[in-house]
Amino acid sequence: MNRFHDISDLLQRGKPRELSALVQEELEDGTSANDILVKALIPGMSVVGEKFKKNEVFVPEVLITARAMNAALKILKPALAQAGVEPVGTVVICTVKGDLHDIGKNLVKMMIEGTGLRVIDLGVDCPPERVVEAVKEYEPGVVCLSALLTTTMIYQKDTIEALKAAGLRDRVKVMVGGAPVTQAFADEIGADAYTPDAASAAEVARSYFN
Ligand code: B1M
């Protein structure tokens, strides 16, 4: 029996209720949340991504899978985010302007919360001005910008520029990530850090508060 395979299969078929139940069962049997994520859910999402690329599935199917993924992440959240009692600092996170992908951002958010930081989530399709407002309002130590499209990565740059124009750039560390983003791009746009995944994003974000 391979329950990772079953979890991945339910995700690909977009069955949030059955998927949530199986993820819950797996957790109760002692499997770590991280293993469920890395060995079942993320590979399942990659299969759908590949099919999407080849036009074997389309936006509606991918949306259904994304909903199932978010339902599974909710089950994993308490295990992924064993936050401390007193938040040691604040992080603002969003998916940049024009971009509606939120699964990676949600994962990064959960993992950062797991290090004991408070996370203010500005959601998706977040324009640079909204980030500037949030930095004024919440005074975070770190801003995390997620972008999944080659056409929206540029708004990571625009957000950094908007922070500069508002005189706020020196007050926050800006971290960038998302599938098309690279270290070279992060360097080019003047981000403080690029991290390829949620776990390393959480580690780096936390390190700024040490
Ligand atoms: Co979209 N989509 N999508 N999509 N979608 C991709 C990204 C794509 C690669 C698919 C493909 O062609 N293979 C492609 C982008 C191509 C490109 O730009 N090079 C694509 C496209 C083209 C589109 C549309 C344009 C399709 C269309 O309408 N014709 C459209 C755009 C809509 C928009 O945003 N304006 C679109 C729409 C959608 C849906 C709405 C249907 C849905 C999103 C639903 C949702 O998020 N609620 C969707 C999905 C689900 C995907 C794929 C299949 C999966 C993305 C995902 O959630 N992965 C994706 C293909 C793929 O990635 N294989 C695809 C799982 C997630 C855990 O990984 O988000 O990469 P990821 O996050 C990782 C890391 O990147 C990192 O940590 C996470 C894991 O540890 N990370 C960070 C992410 N953010 C970070 C921030 C940080 C640090 C690390 O801050 C410091």
Side-chain angles (χ1 to χ4, degrees):
M1 188 236 18
N2 183 345
R3 278 207 276 186
F4 287 159
H5 175 273
D6 293 346
I7 288 173
S8 170
D9 183 57
L10 285 171
L11 174 71
Q12 290 170 49
R13 292 195 287 124
K15 303 278 180 199
R17 244 172 294 150
E18 291 99 314
L19 176 66
S20 298
L22 195 57
V23 166
Q24 182 68 46
E25 214 175 293
E26 195 63 26
L27 274 180
E28 282 164 9
D29 285 353
T31 306
S32 77
N34 197 54
D35 272 359
I36 298 172
L37 184 65
V38 174
K39 296 181 180 167
L41 294 172
I42 290 185
M45 205 71 214
S46 300
V47 172
V48 175
E50 276 308 303
K51 288 186 176 165
F52 191 28
K53 201 169 164 180
K54 293 186 208 148
N55 289 326
E56 290 169 12
V57 297
F58 301 95
V59 171
E61 289 101 313
V62 182
L63 258 181
I64 289 167
T65 300
R67 280 198 200 120
M69 178 78 168
N70 276 324
L73 289 180
K74 264 194 202 147
I75 307 283
L76 294 184
K77 185 172 178 178
L80 288 175
Q82 290 153 346
V85 186
E86 276 297 302
V88 292
T90 300
V91 173
V92 161
I93 194 167
C94 69
T95 301
V96 296
K97 183 174 169 179
D99 199 322
L100 302 174
H101 297 84
D102 69 355
I103 296 171
K105 168 191 66 70
N106 293 344
L107 211 46
V108 173
K109 175 186 172 187
M110 278 178 205
M111 296 269 192
I112 293 179
E113 284 174 340
T115 71
L117 296 166
R118 174 172 76 134
V119 182
I120 308 291
D121 185 355
L122 306 180
V124 297
D125 188 17
C126 184
E129 314 83 70
R130 176 80 188 90
V131 177
V132 168
E133 286 311 311
V135 170
K136 287 182 189 159
E137 185 176 349
Y138 301 106
E139 301 185 347
V142 175
V143 169
C144 287
L145 304 172
S146 179
L148 263 287
L149 299 170
T150 44
T151 49
T152 59
M153 291 160 70
I154 194 67
Y155 292 113
Q156 293 181 326
K157 178 174 193 278
D158 286 7
T159 305
I160 292 174
E161 295 303 326
L163 287 168
K164 274 188 199 158
L168 298 168
R169 180 66 185 92
D170 296 339
R171 293 210 219 149
V172 286
K173 298 288 183 191
V174 178
M175 296 175 56
V176 293
V181 182
T182 60
Q183 181 65 58
F185 180 72
D187 293 342
E188 189 188 312
I189 66 173
D192 294 291
Y194 158 74
T195 53
D197 56 53
S200 55
E203 204 177 304
V204 172
R206 184 65 182 81
S207 73
Y208 289 130
F209 295 89
N210 288 336

